[in-house]
Amino acid sequence: MSETTNKGFTPRIFSGIQPSGGLTLGNYLGALKRFAALQGDQAETIYCIVDLHAITVWQEPAILKARIREAAAAFMASGVDPAQSILFNQSQVSAHAELAWLFNTVARVGWMYRMTQFKDKAGKNSENASLGLLAYPALMAADILAYQATAVPVGEDQKQHLELTRDIAAKFNHDYGVNHFPITEPLIEGVATRVMSLRDGSKKMSKSDPSDASRINLTDDADTIAQKIRKARTDADPLPGSTDGLKDRPEARNLVNIYAALSDQTPDQVLARFEGQGFGAFKPALAEVAVEALSPITKRMSEYMNDPAEIDRILGDGSMRAAAVATPILEQTKDIMGLLRSR
Ligand code: AMP
Ligand code: TRP
């Protein structure tokens, strides 16, 4: 159904990452690596550091600014090329916040309370959460639909927010009797759409986990990466010959999936090589693959970070190119809604 609905829309890919902490291996495999791979295909690619999302929970101003630059460095170090893609930070393009307000009038309060990310982040004391944390998915829909994006690559945890984006687009189109917004396709693909914590195979790897040992940061050096993998929680059994044998072994499955994603293989190919071996043999091999894949990224990141003025220039340039796409779409949206525009 969505394919016919999206007829007439320019193929356009949009995605975003919050600069709310150092980026992790989960961000790299679930998002950044795929952002880079999607460039130069059939579609325009627009990638955003979503700083307005980050401030829905408290951010120390000086640290936030450094993290926005660090996120930009991580995008570029992972292969996002600002000449091929538009790379920018959200707060420099006012169309995001404006369209988010318009969507606040389309989305329903009940939709927001159902979001599991809100429940997780607000915790027990949800009355005390910022209003922005509750309204967050309307801003995310605005990010995507300000560009009439047709596809959004994300990790598994963002599926519910993308469904809500589709609901907002559909309700807007229905209420105003137009076909103004596409029904965006989620691109949740590959073996690493949900990289799990190294300490607990039931929790996702996250930049906000209090335990640094639970994640691999894109800024970790080779020794730290090897040490975290060596200490990763596992079980005592040898590796099976196929993924069927990993069903009830979340920690083992996670490490095999990470190996597969980093080396561009399927988990079954990885298991074919390691069948019958224990973690004493597998972990050093995984550490080697991880260091090989990540150390060039870490190195390029620190090179970019040495020139913050150049990062700021790239984000400024990207913001102007982003605004050139988003502003006319925002203006059409206002026209459709009957808001008077006379300048
Ligand atoms: P966030 O860090 O929450 O802004 O997420 C940015 C992007 O990285 C989103 O597309 C997430 O789905 C993805 N992502 C974050 N954590 C993970 C993870 N542990 N595994 C896979 N993808 C992830
Ligand atoms: N909510 C996403 C996350 O926490 C980040 C995000 C904001 C995003 N706006 C987006 C992702 C638009 C994709 C498209 O990871």
Side-chain angles (χ1 to χ4, degrees), residues 30-299:
L32 291 168
K33 187 175 184 215
R34 295 172 50 238
F35 296 175
L38 287 163
Q39 295 177 119
D41 259 11
Q42 319 302 335
E44 259 180 84
T45 42
I46 305 181
Y47 297 126
C48 183
I49 297 154
V50 291
D51 46 12
L52 297 176
H53 278 95
I55 57 170
T56 57
V57 298
W58 171 252
Q59 303 292 333
E60 213 50 59
I63 297 176
L64 178 60
K65 198 170 278 181
R67 281 180 173 161
I68 294 168
R69 293 192 180 113
E70 190 179 298
F75 271 82
M76 293 190 284
S78 304
V80 170
D81 173 4
Q84 278 193 73
S85 293
I86 297 180
L87 176 64
F88 72 108
N89 61 311
Q90 188 184 26
S91 61
Q92 293 208 73
V93 180
S94 60
H96 292 247
E98 275 195 71
L99 187 60
W101 179 260
L102 303 180
F103 286 168
N104 280 345
T105 70
V106 176
R108 307 288 93 182
V109 177
W111 299 0
M112 301 294 157
Y113 280 122
R114 278 199 289 278
M115 295 293 112
T116 54
Q117 186 171 303
F118 173 72
K119 291 186 212 164
D120 290 347
K121 285 198 175 182
K124 287 197 188 77
N125 195 5
S126 65
E127 289 292 307
N128 202 33
S130 76
L131 184 53
L133 191 66
L134 180 64
Y136 177 117
L139 177 59
M140 178 159 163
D143 299 336
I144 296 166
L145 297 174
Y147 303 90
Q148 292 174 330
T150 50
V152 175
V154 281
E156 175 70 37
D157 61 329
Q158 294 304 311
K159 198 172 172 193
Q160 196 185 30
H161 286 158
L162 288 180
E163 276 159 15
L164 196 136
T165 298
R166 294 160 65 96
D167 290 344
I168 289 177
K171 181 161 163 52
F172 183 97
N173 288 346
H174 174 266
D175 289 354
Y176 293 97
V178 290
N179 187 25
H180 181 52
F181 290 119
I183 307 301
T184 305
E185 292 296 334
L187 300 177
I188 302 173
E189 291 161 344
V191 287
T193 57
R194 191 169 170 82
V195 177
M196 307 310 281
S197 157
L198 299 179
R199 309 299 305 167
D200 177 349
S202 69
K203 281 196 341 207
K204 83 166 182 172
M205 183 182 285
S206 160
K207 53 194 168 202
S208 56
D209 192 310
S211 160
D212 191 60
S214 71
R215 64 179 159 262
I216 292 171
N217 303 300
L218 293 185
T219 50
D220 285 345
D221 61 26
D223 287 346
T224 310
I225 293 174
Q227 194 192 37
K228 284 178 176 175
I229 291 176
R230 199 166 51 240
K231 290 196 175 151
R233 194 166 139 189
T234 43
D235 52 45
D237 295 341
L239 285 165
S242 80
T243 42
D244 293 343
L246 291 176
K247 233 184 276 147
D248 301 316
R249 300 173 64 187
E251 283 89 9
R253 187 173 60 228
N254 187 39
L255 296 186
V256 169
N257 284 347
I258 292 173
Y259 191 112
L262 285 170
S263 61
D264 294 314
Q265 298 179 66
T266 64
D268 280 312
Q269 284 171 320
V270 175
L271 289 173
R273 179 170 156 207
F274 287 98
E275 177 172 15
Q277 300 194 40
F279 288 98
F282 183 71
K283 281 179 167 179
L286 174 60
E288 201 176 308
V289 168
V291 168
E292 198 181 314
L294 298 180
S295 57
I297 297 174
T298 311
K299 183 164 167 283

Side-chain angles (χ1 to χ4, degrees), residues 309-340:
E310 176 61 6
I311 293 181
D312 294 2
R313 190 196 63 74
I314 289 168
L315 294 178
D317 176 69
S319 298
M320 285 192 285
R321 287 157 57 209
V325 181
T327 306
I329 295 171
L330 174 67
E331 287 178 350
Q332 286 162 19
T333 311
K334 289 181 183 171
D335 291 342
I336 291 168
M337 296 177 86
L339 298 163
L340 186 129

